[in-house]
Every structure is written in structure tokens, then in C-alpha cells.
Amino acid sequence: MSRMPVWAMVATPFGANAERICEPSLRALTREMLSRGCSGLIALGVIAEPDSLSLAEKSRALAVILDSAGPAPVVAASTNRNPDEAANELGVFAAQFSGRLHAVMVPVLSPDPVAVRRALVATHSITQLPVLLQDLPAATGVTIAIDHLQETVTGLDFLYGIKCECPPTFWRIRQLREVTEAHLMTGFGGLGLVDDVLAGADTVAAGITVPEVLVDAVDLLAAGEVGGAREVIGRSAGLINFETQARTSIAIRKEHWRRQGVIAHSTVRPPSLPYLVEFDEHSRGHGFVLPCAGIQQP
């Protein structure tokens, strides 16, 4: 059995004052996640702080990721809360990087299945690319009932998949698998990876700073070692929980990448909270002990 795809969620490293993107750090982060077993990359998702980036910065970040990804596939996301503007933004990227994007991702922005389906069709029509739908009410504030989501996605041949992050994820994944053959992606840092895969997920999103843990878990699942996969996730559950808390997650993950020597700075832009001195005890407890210089900001 081939390895289940693990998609890296790529953060946006900034310089020391967060005024501009640190391109050497972004290149290093892209390559590092691939070197640890991730097979594809999702750019400009929530972890990338897209609401703080200008369109020019988004285009530049996407260019750096594409140039650093080699043959690995790249999905470009839009988190714009207006579905028409999201589709148009992705259309800009599709035109700018013609033939280089694997797919595009948009969030569920309405509880109405007709509205969500219309947005998916419009996004595909403008970009001419497969579409990944992210079901993440924690970020959007929008929850769609599972029967309405089933109605939304049934029969869409251009649907690349659904990033399933509305709890209970394992139950919703099981319901979605009944109506679509599109990819079903488990997220939330990987805490529910095993149960989501058993329910029908066939793809994993990795935004944590130890993506190799998720790679190890899916390899064990592929070998039929469910118990072993649960043990792998269990040993890292505390770290995953620490790295995925709302508001603090981006700065903490950036600091952990910095302490691993991958990026130069852990700076974030509002509304994300910066890395605070109070977090250090927890980071050290999870093994991120010695701050490294990382790569140098030019």
C-alpha cells in the first residue's frame, strides 16, 4: 500500500519586526517539511496568517513555496470571508502560476448548501483547478449541518476533497464517505488522525512542528498496526495540543521551528498573540530547549 498523503500546512515566517516576509526562512521551512515525509504543501491557509498579508505578499509567498517545493504538489488557499472575492483571489494565483498549482482551497462560508455549492462551482470556473473545501467553523464561525454538507458535495467531479475539521470529525467523515469519493483530509494537528482514518479519511494535514510523527502514524496504519499508530499519536498528544491552541498556536509553532534552526524569527502579526515568556516552560517541557540562531535574515 502506498503512503497516505501528508500535506504540510505552511506558515509565513517574518523578519524580526514582522514588516516583511523572511524568504530564506520560508524556503527552509518548505523544504524541511518535505524532508520530514510530507508529500504536498498547502499555502496561505489559516496558519499562514493570510488576513495580515497583502495580495502582493500572498503572491510572493506562493512563488517562494512553489519554487522550493520541487515536484511536490502545492495547493493555494484563500480565507477571504467573501466567496466571490475568494474565488477571484484564487483566480489571480491560478493565472500567475499557470500550470503549477495542484488545486485551490476555500472555506465553508454559509450553512446553506446551495450557497456553498455555488461558491465551489464559481471557484472552479474561475481557476479551472480542482477545489478543496475546508470545513473549519473554529476559524470562520460558520457551521454547516452534515446532511447539508453531503448535499453540497454530492456529484461535484471537480471536488479535490474536504478538509474535515468540524467536530465530531470521525462521524462527519464517515457520513461524507457515503456520498463522495473525493479526498477526506483529517486535520486538528493530528490528534484524531487514527479515528478519522478508520472512519474514511485518506489524507492528513500537518501543521505541527513534528510532522514526522504523523508520517510515522500513517505508515503504521498502512501496515495494519492501528495500536502502534495510536501509541505514536498518544506520545505526542500533549505537544499537539500545546501547538494547536487558538490564538497562541502560530507563534508557538514558529518559535518551535526557530528552536529547531529552521526559521530565523518567531514573529507574528496581529491578531495572533506573540510568543510570550510564559510559554517557555511549556516549550522546554516538550523538548524545545535551546533557542537556535536559525538561518540569518539578510
Side-chain angles (χ1 to χ4, degrees):
M1 182 183 296
S2 60
R3 170 180 287 172
M4 184 180 300
V6 177
W7 287 82
M9 307 297 297
V10 187
T12 307
F14 297 122
N17 55 16
E19 289 183 358
R20 63 190 182 96
I21 295 172
C22 179
E23 293 186 14
S25 290
L26 182 54
R27 291 189 194 96
L29 179 59
T30 298
R31 292 166 180 162
E32 183 71 16
M33 297 192 83
L34 292 172
S35 75
R36 297 195 191 184
C38 295
S39 48
L41 302 137
I42 298 180
L44 304 176
V46 173
I47 193 176
E49 302 172 76
D51 291 347
S52 75
L53 302 175
S54 67
L55 182 60
E57 286 179 317
K58 291 177 182 179
S59 292
R60 186 56 196 155
L62 190 51
V64 171
I65 292 169
L66 283 164
D67 289 344
S68 305
V74 176
V75 172
S78 175
T79 60
N80 194 304
R81 302 300 191 271
N82 181 304
D84 293 331
E85 292 177 5
N88 289 331
E89 180 177 81
L90 292 170
V92 170
F93 299 150
Q96 183 177 359
F97 304 105
S98 178
R100 300 178 66 189
L101 291 174
H102 187 71
V104 292
M105 183 172 79
V106 293
V108 172
L109 293 173
S110 171
D112 178 7
V114 174
V116 180
R117 191 177 179 96
R118 185 185 303 120
L120 289 171
V121 171
T123 300
H124 173 65
S125 177
I126 290 171
T127 64
Q128 292 298 297
L129 287 167
V131 182
L132 175 63
L133 179 64
Q134 183 171 32
D135 185 20
L136 181 59
T140 62
V142 176
T143 299
I144 185 170
I146 186 58
D147 56 332
H148 288 168
L149 186 56
Q150 287 176 308
E151 181 182 343
T152 296
V153 303
T154 299
L156 294 180
D157 58 3
F158 61 81
L159 185 70
Y160 181 77
I162 306 163
K163 194 166 184 278
C164 304
E165 296 179 294
C166 179
T169 55
F170 57 90
W171 177 72
R172 286 170 72 92
I173 286 169
R174 195 172 293 277
Q175 303 304 304
L176 289 167
R177 184 48 77 207
E178 293 180 358
V179 300
T180 182
E181 295 182 359
H183 295 293
L184 299 179
M185 182 181 292
T186 175
F188 281 150
L191 275 178
L193 184 152
V194 176
D195 288 307
D196 285 354
V197 170
L198 292 177
D202 60 4
T203 313
V204 176
I208 58 172
T209 64
V210 286
E212 61 272 23
V213 168
L214 308 188
V215 172
D216 289 345
V218 299
D219 284 348
L220 287 165
L221 286 172
E225 298 181 29
V226 176
R230 289 193 191 280
E231 289 177 7
V232 165
I233 296 298
R235 287 195 295 270
S236 298
L239 172 62
I240 295 171
N241 179 67
F242 179 52
E243 287 196 345
T244 55
Q245 294 285 323
R247 294 197 68 205
T248 60
S249 64
I250 295 173
I252 288 171
R253 281 183 262 193
K254 283 185 173 183
E255 176 64 11
H256 289 178
W257 282 122
R258 188 185 77 85
R259 293 188 183 198
Q260 294 176 78
V262 178
I263 67 174
H265 305 284
S266 60
T267 46
V268 296
R269 290 177 177 174
S272 294
L273 285 176
Y275 188 86
L276 303 175
V277 65
E278 292 87 351
F279 301 164
D280 185 60
E281 178 183 358
H282 304 280
S283 291
R284 286 187 285 107
H286 287 295
F288 298 92
V289 179
L290 297 175
C292 298
I295 62 174
Q296 294 301 308
Q297 166 84 9

PDB file of all heavy atoms in Angstrom, residues 24-58:
ATOM      1  N   PRO A  24      14.202  33.565   2.965  1.00  0.00           N
ATOM      2  CA  PRO A  24      15.075  32.407   3.242  1.00  0.00           C
ATOM      3  C   PRO A  24      14.444  31.447   4.243  1.00  0.00           C
ATOM      4  O   PRO A  24      14.566  30.221   4.097  1.00  0.00           O
ATOM      5  CB  PRO A  24      16.348  33.051   3.794  1.00  0.00           C
ATOM      6  CG  PRO A  24      16.357  34.429   3.222  1.00  0.00           C
ATOM      7  CD  PRO A  24      14.922  34.843   3.175  1.00  0.00           C
ATOM      8  N   SER A  25      13.754  31.975   5.258  1.00  0.00           N
ATOM      9  CA  SER A  25      13.083  31.112   6.230  1.00  0.00           C
ATOM     10  C   SER A  25      11.939  30.347   5.584  1.00  0.00           C
ATOM     11  O   SER A  25      11.723  29.166   5.880  1.00  0.00           O
ATOM     12  CB  SER A  25      12.550  31.946   7.395  1.00  0.00           C
ATOM     13  OG  SER A  25      13.587  32.441   8.205  1.00  0.00           O
ATOM     14  N   LEU A  26      11.190  30.997   4.709  1.00  0.00           N
ATOM     15  CA  LEU A  26      10.071  30.335   4.051  1.00  0.00           C
ATOM     16  C   LEU A  26      10.578  29.205   3.149  1.00  0.00           C
ATOM     17  O   LEU A  26       9.987  28.118   3.120  1.00  0.00           O
ATOM     18  CB  LEU A  26       9.260  31.348   3.243  1.00  0.00           C
ATOM     19  CG  LEU A  26       8.014  30.818   2.529  1.00  0.00           C
ATOM     20  CD1 LEU A  26       7.085  30.108   3.498  1.00  0.00           C
ATOM     21  CD2 LEU A  26       7.281  31.974   1.826  1.00  0.00           C
ATOM     22  N   ARG A  27      11.674  29.446   2.445  1.00  0.00           N
ATOM     23  CA  ARG A  27      12.262  28.368   1.632  1.00  0.00           C
ATOM     24  C   ARG A  27      12.694  27.200   2.514  1.00  0.00           C
ATOM     25  O   ARG A  27      12.434  26.027   2.203  1.00  0.00           O
ATOM     26  CB  ARG A  27      13.470  28.892   0.857  1.00  0.00           C
ATOM     27  CG  ARG A  27      13.143  29.868  -0.251  1.00  0.00           C
ATOM     28  CD  ARG A  27      14.366  30.170  -1.109  1.00  0.00           C
ATOM     29  NE  ARG A  27      14.116  31.336  -1.938  1.00  0.00           N
ATOM     30  CZ  ARG A  27      14.491  32.575  -1.623  1.00  0.00           C
ATOM     31  NH1 ARG A  27      15.165  32.794  -0.508  1.00  0.00           N
ATOM     32  NH2 ARG A  27      14.206  33.580  -2.416  1.00  0.00           N
ATOM     33  N   ALA A  28      13.367  27.534   3.612  1.00  0.00           N
ATOM     34  CA  ALA A  28      13.870  26.487   4.501  1.00  0.00           C
ATOM     35  C   ALA A  28      12.727  25.692   5.115  1.00  0.00           C
ATOM     36  O   ALA A  28      12.806  24.460   5.227  1.00  0.00           O
ATOM     37  CB  ALA A  28      14.739  27.109   5.592  1.00  0.00           C
ATOM     38  N   LEU A  29      11.658  26.364   5.520  1.00  0.00           N
ATOM     39  CA  LEU A  29      10.520  25.683   6.128  1.00  0.00           C
ATOM     40  C   LEU A  29       9.837  24.765   5.120  1.00  0.00           C
ATOM     41  O   LEU A  29       9.483  23.622   5.444  1.00  0.00           O
ATOM     42  CB  LEU A  29       9.528  26.717   6.665  1.00  0.00           C
ATOM     43  CG  LEU A  29       8.261  26.173   7.311  1.00  0.00           C
ATOM     44  CD1 LEU A  29       8.593  25.274   8.500  1.00  0.00           C
ATOM     45  CD2 LEU A  29       7.339  27.317   7.739  1.00  0.00           C
ATOM     46  N   THR A  30       9.654  25.248   3.906  1.00  0.00           N
ATOM     47  CA  THR A  30       9.042  24.428   2.861  1.00  0.00           C
ATOM     48  C   THR A  30       9.837  23.150   2.643  1.00  0.00           C
ATOM     49  O   THR A  30       9.287  22.038   2.631  1.00  0.00           O
ATOM     50  CB  THR A  30       8.968  25.227   1.548  1.00  0.00           C
ATOM     51  OG1 THR A  30       8.144  26.388   1.744  1.00  0.00           O
ATOM     52  CG2 THR A  30       8.395  24.389   0.426  1.00  0.00           C
ATOM     53  N   ARG A  31      11.134  23.286   2.492  1.00  0.00           N
ATOM     54  CA  ARG A  31      11.982  22.122   2.233  1.00  0.00           C
ATOM     55  C   ARG A  31      12.069  21.196   3.436  1.00  0.00           C
ATOM     56  O   ARG A  31      12.120  19.965   3.293  1.00  0.00           O
ATOM     57  CB  ARG A  31      13.373  22.594   1.803  1.00  0.00           C
ATOM     58  CG  ARG A  31      13.374  23.279   0.440  1.00  0.00           C
ATOM     59  CD  ARG A  31      14.654  24.024   0.160  1.00  0.00           C
ATOM     60  NE  ARG A  31      14.629  24.667  -1.155  1.00  0.00           N
ATOM     61  CZ  ARG A  31      15.446  25.644  -1.523  1.00  0.00           C
ATOM     62  NH1 ARG A  31      16.366  26.106  -0.673  1.00  0.00           N
ATOM     63  NH2 ARG A  31      15.356  26.175  -2.736  1.00  0.00           N
ATOM     64  N   GLU A  32      12.061  21.784   4.637  1.00  0.00           N
ATOM     65  CA  GLU A  32      12.165  20.967   5.848  1.00  0.00           C
ATOM     66  C   GLU A  32      10.954  20.060   6.011  1.00  0.00           C
ATOM     67  O   GLU A  32      11.086  18.876   6.344  1.00  0.00           O
ATOM     68  CB  GLU A  32      12.312  21.872   7.075  1.00  0.00           C
ATOM     69  CG  GLU A  32      12.490  21.130   8.380  1.00  0.00           C
ATOM     70  CD  GLU A  32      13.831  20.445   8.521  1.00  0.00           C
ATOM     71  OE1 GLU A  32      14.761  20.777   7.742  1.00  0.00           O
ATOM     72  OE2 GLU A  32      13.967  19.592   9.418  1.00  0.00           O
ATOM     73  N   MET A  33       9.764  20.600   5.793  1.00  0.00           N
ATOM     74  CA  MET A  33       8.568  19.786   5.963  1.00  0.00           C
ATOM     75  C   MET A  33       8.515  18.658   4.941  1.00  0.00           C
ATOM     76  O   MET A  33       8.104  17.536   5.258  1.00  0.00           O
ATOM     77  CB  MET A  33       7.313  20.663   5.886  1.00  0.00           C
ATOM     78  CG  MET A  33       7.248  21.696   6.993  1.00  0.00           C
ATOM     79  SD  MET A  33       5.652  22.532   7.157  1.00  0.00           S
ATOM     80  CE  MET A  33       4.742  21.353   8.147  1.00  0.00           C
ATOM     81  N   LEU A  34       8.985  18.927   3.738  1.00  0.00           N
ATOM     82  CA  LEU A  34       9.048  17.867   2.733  1.00  0.00           C
ATOM     83  C   LEU A  34      10.091  16.827   3.109  1.00  0.00           C
ATOM     84  O   LEU A  34       9.888  15.628   2.919  1.00  0.00           O
ATOM     85  CB  LEU A  34       9.345  18.464   1.358  1.00  0.00           C
ATOM     86  CG  LEU A  34       8.230  19.327   0.750  1.00  0.00           C
ATOM     87  CD1 LEU A  34       8.723  20.010  -0.519  1.00  0.00           C
ATOM     88  CD2 LEU A  34       6.996  18.478   0.448  1.00  0.00           C
ATOM     89  N   SER A  35      11.215  17.275   3.672  1.00  0.00           N
ATOM     90  CA  SER A  35      12.273  16.336   4.048  1.00  0.00           C
ATOM     91  C   SER A  35      11.845  15.417   5.174  1.00  0.00           C
ATOM     92  O   SER A  35      12.417  14.339   5.366  1.00  0.00           O
ATOM     93  CB  SER A  35      13.547  17.088   4.447  1.00  0.00           C
ATOM     94  OG  SER A  35      13.419  17.669   5.732  1.00  0.00           O
ATOM     95  N   ARG A  36      10.827  15.814   5.935  1.00  0.00           N
ATOM     96  CA  ARG A  36      10.353  15.002   7.053  1.00  0.00           C
ATOM     97  C   ARG A  36       9.195  14.089   6.664  1.00  0.00           C
ATOM     98  O   ARG A  36       8.545  13.506   7.524  1.00  0.00           O
ATOM     99  CB  ARG A  36       9.952  15.893   8.223  1.00  0.00           C
ATOM    100  CG  ARG A  36      11.118  16.699   8.793  1.00  0.00           C
ATOM    101  CD  ARG A  36      10.789  17.271  10.137  1.00  0.00           C
ATOM    102  NE  ARG A  36      11.789  18.243  10.585  1.00  0.00           N
ATOM    103  CZ  ARG A  36      11.761  18.829  11.771  1.00  0.00           C
ATOM    104  NH1 ARG A  36      10.800  18.549  12.626  1.00  0.00           N
ATOM    105  NH2 ARG A  36      12.687  19.704  12.105  1.00  0.00           N
ATOM    106  N   GLY A  37       8.948  13.973   5.381  1.00  0.00           N
ATOM    107  CA  GLY A  37       7.974  12.995   4.911  1.00  0.00           C
ATOM    108  C   GLY A  37       6.683  13.549   4.385  1.00  0.00           C
ATOM    109  O   GLY A  37       5.826  12.786   3.909  1.00  0.00           O
ATOM    110  N   CYS A  38       6.470  14.879   4.456  1.00  0.00           N
ATOM    111  CA  CYS A  38       5.261  15.452   3.869  1.00  0.00           C
ATOM    112  C   CYS A  38       5.345  15.343   2.354  1.00  0.00           C
ATOM    113  O   CYS A  38       6.414  15.501   1.764  1.00  0.00           O
ATOM    114  CB  CYS A  38       5.086  16.903   4.300  1.00  0.00           C
ATOM    115  SG  CYS A  38       4.788  17.116   6.069  1.00  0.00           S
ATOM    116  N   SER A  39       4.222  15.068   1.733  1.00  0.00           N
ATOM    117  CA  SER A  39       4.229  14.816   0.292  1.00  0.00           C
ATOM    118  C   SER A  39       3.659  15.963  -0.522  1.00  0.00           C
ATOM    119  O   SER A  39       3.763  15.965  -1.750  1.00  0.00           O
ATOM    120  CB  SER A  39       3.447  13.531  -0.009  1.00  0.00           C
ATOM    121  OG  SER A  39       2.209  13.528   0.667  1.00  0.00           O
ATOM    122  N   GLY A  40       3.040  16.935   0.130  1.00  0.00           N
ATOM    123  CA  GLY A  40       2.486  18.094  -0.555  1.00  0.00           C
ATOM    124  C   GLY A  40       2.410  19.263   0.401  1.00  0.00           C
ATOM    125  O   GLY A  40       2.679  19.118   1.604  1.00  0.00           O
ATOM    126  N   LEU A  41       2.040  20.425  -0.119  1.00  0.00           N
ATOM    127  CA  LEU A  41       2.039  21.648   0.677  1.00  0.00           C
ATOM    128  C   LEU A  41       0.754  22.435   0.453  1.00  0.00           C
ATOM    129  O   LEU A  41       0.290  22.552  -0.683  1.00  0.00           O
ATOM    130  CB  LEU A  41       3.232  22.530   0.296  1.00  0.00           C
ATOM    131  CG  LEU A  41       4.606  21.868   0.456  1.00  0.00           C
ATOM    132  CD1 LEU A  41       5.491  22.185  -0.735  1.00  0.00           C
ATOM    133  CD2 LEU A  41       5.271  22.318   1.744  1.00  0.00           C
ATOM    134  N   ILE A  42       0.201  22.959   1.542  1.00  0.00           N
ATOM    135  CA  ILE A  42      -0.939  23.866   1.448  1.00  0.00           C
ATOM    136  C   ILE A  42      -0.462  25.246   1.868  1.00  0.00           C
ATOM    137  O   ILE A  42      -0.030  25.445   3.010  1.00  0.00           O
ATOM    138  CB  ILE A  42      -2.119  23.399   2.304  1.00  0.00           C
ATOM    139  CG1 ILE A  42      -2.610  22.035   1.792  1.00  0.00           C
ATOM    140  CG2 ILE A  42      -3.257  24.423   2.264  1.00  0.00           C
ATOM    141  CD1 ILE A  42      -3.779  21.460   2.565  1.00  0.00           C
ATOM    142  N   ALA A  43      -0.512  26.183   0.941  1.00  0.00           N
ATOM    143  CA  ALA A  43      -0.014  27.540   1.157  1.00  0.00           C
ATOM    144  C   ALA A  43      -1.174  28.489   1.431  1.00  0.00           C
ATOM    145  O   ALA A  43      -2.270  28.337   0.880  1.00  0.00           O
ATOM    146  CB  ALA A  43       0.748  28.015  -0.074  1.00  0.00           C
ATOM    147  N   LEU A  44      -0.939  29.467   2.299  1.00  0.00           N
ATOM    148  CA  LEU A  44      -1.866  30.560   2.581  1.00  0.00           C
ATOM    149  C   LEU A  44      -3.111  30.118   3.324  1.00  0.00           C
ATOM    150  O   LEU A  44      -4.157  30.784   3.275  1.00  0.00           O
ATOM    151  CB  LEU A  44      -2.245  31.301   1.287  1.00  0.00           C
ATOM    152  CG  LEU A  44      -1.067  31.841   0.479  1.00  0.00           C
ATOM    153  CD1 LEU A  44      -1.565  32.465  -0.829  1.00  0.00           C
ATOM    154  CD2 LEU A  44      -0.270  32.854   1.283  1.00  0.00           C
ATOM    155  N   GLY A  45      -3.013  28.983   4.033  1.00  0.00           N
ATOM    156  CA  GLY A  45      -4.087  28.574   4.924  1.00  0.00           C
ATOM    157  C   GLY A  45      -4.063  29.407   6.188  1.00  0.00           C
ATOM    158  O   GLY A  45      -3.280  30.359   6.322  1.00  0.00           O
ATOM    159  N   VAL A  46      -4.899  29.051   7.146  1.00  0.00           N
ATOM    160  CA  VAL A  46      -5.030  29.838   8.375  1.00  0.00           C
ATOM    161  C   VAL A  46      -3.691  30.007   9.088  1.00  0.00           C
ATOM    162  O   VAL A  46      -3.375  31.073   9.623  1.00  0.00           O
ATOM    163  CB  VAL A  46      -6.068  29.191   9.313  1.00  0.00           C
ATOM    164  CG1 VAL A  46      -6.083  29.897  10.663  1.00  0.00           C
ATOM    165  CG2 VAL A  46      -7.445  29.220   8.682  1.00  0.00           C
ATOM    166  N   ILE A  47      -2.867  28.965   9.083  1.00  0.00           N
ATOM    167  CA  ILE A  47      -1.576  29.023   9.773  1.00  0.00           C
ATOM    168  C   ILE A  47      -0.639  30.056   9.151  1.00  0.00           C
ATOM    169  O   ILE A  47       0.313  30.514   9.791  1.00  0.00           O
ATOM    170  CB  ILE A  47      -0.921  27.627   9.765  1.00  0.00           C
ATOM    171  CG1 ILE A  47       0.263  27.573  10.742  1.00  0.00           C
ATOM    172  CG2 ILE A  47      -0.474  27.236   8.367  1.00  0.00           C
ATOM    173  CD1 ILE A  47       0.888  26.199  10.859  1.00  0.00           C
ATOM    174  N   ALA A  48      -0.903  30.457   7.918  1.00  0.00           N
ATOM    175  CA  ALA A  48      -0.035  31.402   7.205  1.00  0.00           C
ATOM    176  C   ALA A  48      -0.358  32.859   7.524  1.00  0.00           C
ATOM    177  O   ALA A  48       0.253  33.759   6.941  1.00  0.00           O
ATOM    178  CB  ALA A  48      -0.137  31.170   5.701  1.00  0.00           C
ATOM    179  N   GLU A  49      -1.302  33.093   8.424  1.00  0.00           N
ATOM    180  CA  GLU A  49      -1.720  34.455   8.778  1.00  0.00           C
ATOM    181  C   GLU A  49      -2.162  35.253   7.548  1.00  0.00           C
ATOM    182  O   GLU A  49      -1.771  36.410   7.355  1.00  0.00           O
ATOM    183  CB  GLU A  49      -0.599  35.193   9.521  1.00  0.00           C
ATOM    184  CG  GLU A  49      -0.129  34.489  10.801  1.00  0.00           C
ATOM    185  CD  GLU A  49       1.092  35.131  11.416  1.00  0.00           C
ATOM    186  OE1 GLU A  49       0.970  36.194  12.051  1.00  0.00           O
ATOM    187  OE2 GLU A  49       2.193  34.549  11.251  1.00  0.00           O
ATOM    188  N   PRO A  50      -2.997  34.665   6.704  1.00  0.00           N
ATOM    189  CA  PRO A  50      -3.335  35.317   5.437  1.00  0.00           C
ATOM    190  C   PRO A  50      -4.071  36.639   5.582  1.00  0.00           C
ATOM    191  O   PRO A  50      -3.946  37.514   4.717  1.00  0.00           O
ATOM    192  CB  PRO A  50      -4.207  34.273   4.726  1.00  0.00           C
ATOM    193  CG  PRO A  50      -4.765  33.449   5.846  1.00  0.00           C
ATOM    194  CD  PRO A  50      -3.684  33.380   6.858  1.00  0.00           C
ATOM    195  N   ASP A  51      -4.827  36.789   6.668  1.00  0.00           N
ATOM    196  CA  ASP A  51      -5.564  38.047   6.841  1.00  0.00           C
ATOM    197  C   ASP A  51      -4.629  39.225   7.086  1.00  0.00           C
ATOM    198  O   ASP A  51      -5.036  40.382   6.958  1.00  0.00           O
ATOM    199  CB  ASP A  51      -6.553  37.928   7.995  1.00  0.00           C
ATOM    200  CG  ASP A  51      -7.701  36.978   7.685  1.00  0.00           C
ATOM    201  OD1 ASP A  51      -7.859  36.618   6.508  1.00  0.00           O
ATOM    202  OD2 ASP A  51      -8.425  36.592   8.624  1.00  0.00           O
ATOM    203  N   SER A  52      -3.384  38.943   7.444  1.00  0.00           N
ATOM    204  CA  SER A  52      -2.412  40.017   7.685  1.00  0.00           C
ATOM    205  C   SER A  52      -1.529  40.277   6.469  1.00  0.00           C
ATOM    206  O   SER A  52      -0.667  41.162   6.513  1.00  0.00           O
ATOM    207  CB  SER A  52      -1.527  39.654   8.886  1.00  0.00           C
ATOM    208  OG  SER A  52      -0.565  38.664   8.533  1.00  0.00           O
ATOM    209  N   LEU A  53      -1.731  39.521   5.396  1.00  0.00           N
ATOM    210  CA  LEU A  53      -0.885  39.635   4.204  1.00  0.00           C
ATOM    211  C   LEU A  53      -1.600  40.403   3.105  1.00  0.00           C
ATOM    212  O   LEU A  53      -2.794  40.201   2.866  1.00  0.00           O
ATOM    213  CB  LEU A  53      -0.514  38.246   3.678  1.00  0.00           C
ATOM    214  CG  LEU A  53       0.224  37.296   4.623  1.00  0.00           C
ATOM    215  CD1 LEU A  53       0.386  35.926   3.966  1.00  0.00           C
ATOM    216  CD2 LEU A  53       1.585  37.861   5.013  1.00  0.00           C
ATOM    217  N   SER A  54      -0.864  41.258   2.420  1.00  0.00           N
ATOM    218  CA  SER A  54      -1.409  41.910   1.228  1.00  0.00           C
ATOM    219  C   SER A  54      -1.458  40.899   0.093  1.00  0.00           C
ATOM    220  O   SER A  54      -0.831  39.820   0.164  1.00  0.00           O
ATOM    221  CB  SER A  54      -0.533  43.092   0.821  1.00  0.00           C
ATOM    222  OG  SER A  54       0.742  42.626   0.372  1.00  0.00           O
ATOM    223  N   LEU A  55      -2.185  41.232  -0.970  1.00  0.00           N
ATOM    224  CA  LEU A  55      -2.242  40.329  -2.117  1.00  0.00           C
ATOM    225  C   LEU A  55      -0.854  40.131  -2.708  1.00  0.00           C
ATOM    226  O   LEU A  55      -0.489  39.013  -3.109  1.00  0.00           O
ATOM    227  CB  LEU A  55      -3.199  40.877  -3.183  1.00  0.00           C
ATOM    228  CG  LEU A  55      -3.392  39.991  -4.419  1.00  0.00           C
ATOM    229  CD1 LEU A  55      -3.949  38.628  -4.038  1.00  0.00           C
ATOM    230  CD2 LEU A  55      -4.306  40.689  -5.432  1.00  0.00           C
ATOM    231  N   ALA A  56      -0.063  41.185  -2.738  1.00  0.00           N
ATOM    232  CA  ALA A  56       1.304  41.069  -3.261  1.00  0.00           C
ATOM    233  C   ALA A  56       2.141  40.142  -2.393  1.00  0.00           C
ATOM    234  O   ALA A  56       2.935  39.337  -2.912  1.00  0.00           O
ATOM    235  CB  ALA A  56       1.952  42.448  -3.339  1.00  0.00           C
ATOM    236  N   GLU A  57       1.972  40.226  -1.072  1.00  0.00           N
ATOM    237  CA  GLU A  57       2.721  39.341  -0.180  1.00  0.00           C
ATOM    238  C   GLU A  57       2.280  37.892  -0.350  1.00  0.00           C
ATOM    239  O   GLU A  57       3.104  36.974  -0.339  1.00  0.00           O
ATOM    240  CB  GLU A  57       2.530  39.774   1.272  1.00  0.00           C
ATOM    241  CG  GLU A  57       3.288  41.040   1.644  1.00  0.00           C
ATOM    242  CD  GLU A  57       3.040  41.442   3.083  1.00  0.00           C
ATOM    243  OE1 GLU A  57       1.862  41.383   3.534  1.00  0.00           O
ATOM    244  OE2 GLU A  57       4.004  41.828   3.769  1.00  0.00           O
ATOM    245  N   LYS A  58       0.993  37.688  -0.526  1.00  0.00           N
ATOM    246  CA  LYS A  58       0.493  36.325  -0.748  1.00  0.00           C
ATOM    247  C   LYS A  58       1.082  35.745  -2.028  1.00  0.00           C
ATOM    248  O   LYS A  58       1.521  34.584  -2.058  1.00  0.00           O
ATOM    249  CB  LYS A  58      -1.033  36.330  -0.829  1.00  0.00           C
ATOM    250  CG  LYS A  58      -1.730  36.636   0.481  1.00  0.00           C
ATOM    251  CD  LYS A  58      -3.242  36.692   0.282  1.00  0.00           C
ATOM    252  CE  LYS A  58      -3.965  37.055   1.558  1.00  0.00           C
ATOM    253  NZ  LYS A  58      -5.428  37.133   1.377  1.00  0.00           N
TER     254      LYS A  58
END
